[in-house]
Amino acid sequence: VLRRLFDCLVVACICVAGLSLLPLLLVSLRARQWFFVRIMAVAGRLWRDVFEDTRREAISALDEAESSDPELRADGAIRVLEIGAGSGANFAFLRRKVKYWNVDPNTEFQNFFLETVKKYPKVEMERWVVGYGEDMRDVPDSHFDAVIVTHLLCSVHFAEKVLQECRRVLVKGGRMVFMEHVAHPRGSFGRTLQNVLTPLWCIICCGCCLNRESGELIRNAGFSEVHLKETNVDMPIILTRHVYGYAVA
């Protein structure tokens, strides 16, 4: 009970801080990005462990993947694109050699990200593309053995377009690994709370929509296979419901 109360207090503090900065956040993308990075830093310290098992299981879908590139395959490596890697929370769960690209519009994360990647020698950074997942024009077709999207689809402008782009950049048979917080069932208390808070949350958390049905979007995105699981994680009710798994291009 005390943990639940504490979680609610943290969410309330985030909302109050966001409201106090609302005029600035409404007019400045840079301010929203700066504020969001600080929120994620707090959230990481408080709740990163609650995702550990779910994140590990999702990323494990890459353990048996084989690269379409003969040289990488001979070396036991794969080429991976991550969209919106933030500070690099997924690196700890990559258990093999990876040639790595990141697409992220928020350069406020860059220093944190570069410090994190230094800790994981199996991850070879090839390129950071400053851009949005909806328009990855600088990323070639059929180039990646895997794409990673975690806590991303909630905050993009057009999730369907991002998923279309993921299919485009994956090789045939490549895997999109995902872990996303999603909307509670319609009519539930959790969904009502998500609906009420989403307009403010979108502003203070760089577009994050608490009530987005990302699982359904993935199922309907045209992948040849979708392996999707649902779970509830120990977080504030607006963020508890998650889907995770992988989809095959």
Side-chain angles (χ1 to χ4, degrees), residues 21-220:
L21 295 171
L22 193 58
L24 177 60
L25 298 177
L26 284 170
V27 299
S28 172
L29 173 61
R30 189 64 181 268
R32 292 195 298 274
Q33 291 177 336
W34 181 91
F35 189 62
F36 181 60
V37 169
R38 274 68 197 173
I39 291 174
M40 291 301 292
V42 171
R45 283 193 286 270
L46 292 176
W47 297 310
R48 180 168 292 179
D49 290 348
V50 307
F51 299 118
E52 188 167 308
D53 291 341
T54 304
R55 197 185 296 271
R56 179 181 293 107
E57 184 176 347
I59 302 296
S60 71
L62 303 183
D63 290 350
E64 304 300 324
E66 288 193 350
S67 179
S68 62
D69 183 316
E71 291 186 10
L72 293 183
R73 188 164 61 247
D75 195 33
I78 57 174
R79 179 167 281 111
V80 172
L81 168 70
E82 186 162 11
I83 308 174
S87 58
N90 290 320
F91 291 152
F93 303 93
L94 291 167
R95 294 184 284 199
R96 59 186 310 172
K97 292 181 181 179
V98 167
K99 303 285 189 178
Y100 182 91
W101 290 40
N102 180 36
V103 171
D104 199 324
N106 193 345
T107 55
E108 290 287 334
F109 277 116
Q110 198 161 26
N111 289 336
F112 299 103
F113 174 91
L114 293 175
E115 284 300 313
T116 302
V117 76
K118 290 176 185 176
K119 301 174 185 177
Y120 299 97
K122 288 185 178 181
V123 179
E124 181 182 333
M125 187 73 192
E126 289 193 319
R127 190 174 176 191
W128 175 306
V129 178
V130 179
Y132 292 89
E134 293 95 331
D135 181 13
M136 298 193 292
R137 65 184 68 187
D138 294 326
V139 180
D141 296 351
S142 304
H143 190 65
F144 295 94
D145 304 301
V147 172
I148 299 174
V149 293
T150 58
H151 293 158
L152 170 84
L153 297 178
C154 59
S155 59
V156 298
H157 294 298
F158 302 103
E160 295 91 342
K161 179 62 176 173
V162 173
L163 294 168
Q164 181 181 333
E165 283 285 87
C166 289
R167 289 175 54 213
R168 177 183 67 79
V169 303
L170 280 167
V171 299
K172 185 174 177 58
R175 295 182 174 188
M176 183 192 77
V177 171
F178 59 88
M179 181 185 75
E180 299 287 335
H181 69 80
V182 295
H184 285 288
R186 295 177 185 272
S188 66
F189 172 74
R191 181 60 169 266
T192 300
L193 194 57
Q194 288 174 326
N195 291 342
V196 169
L197 288 179
T198 287
L200 174 62
W201 202 260
C202 275
I203 297 169
I204 65 179
C205 291
C206 266
C208 177
C209 295
L210 297 168
N211 55 1
R212 184 163 288 170
E213 298 178 347
S214 296
E216 292 306 308
L217 295 176
I218 293 169
R219 285 192 177 102
N220 296 322

Side-chain angles (χ1 to χ4, degrees), residues 10-23:
V10 171
V11 170
C13 288
I14 291 171
C15 291
V16 169
L19 282 170
S20 68
L21 295 171
L22 193 58

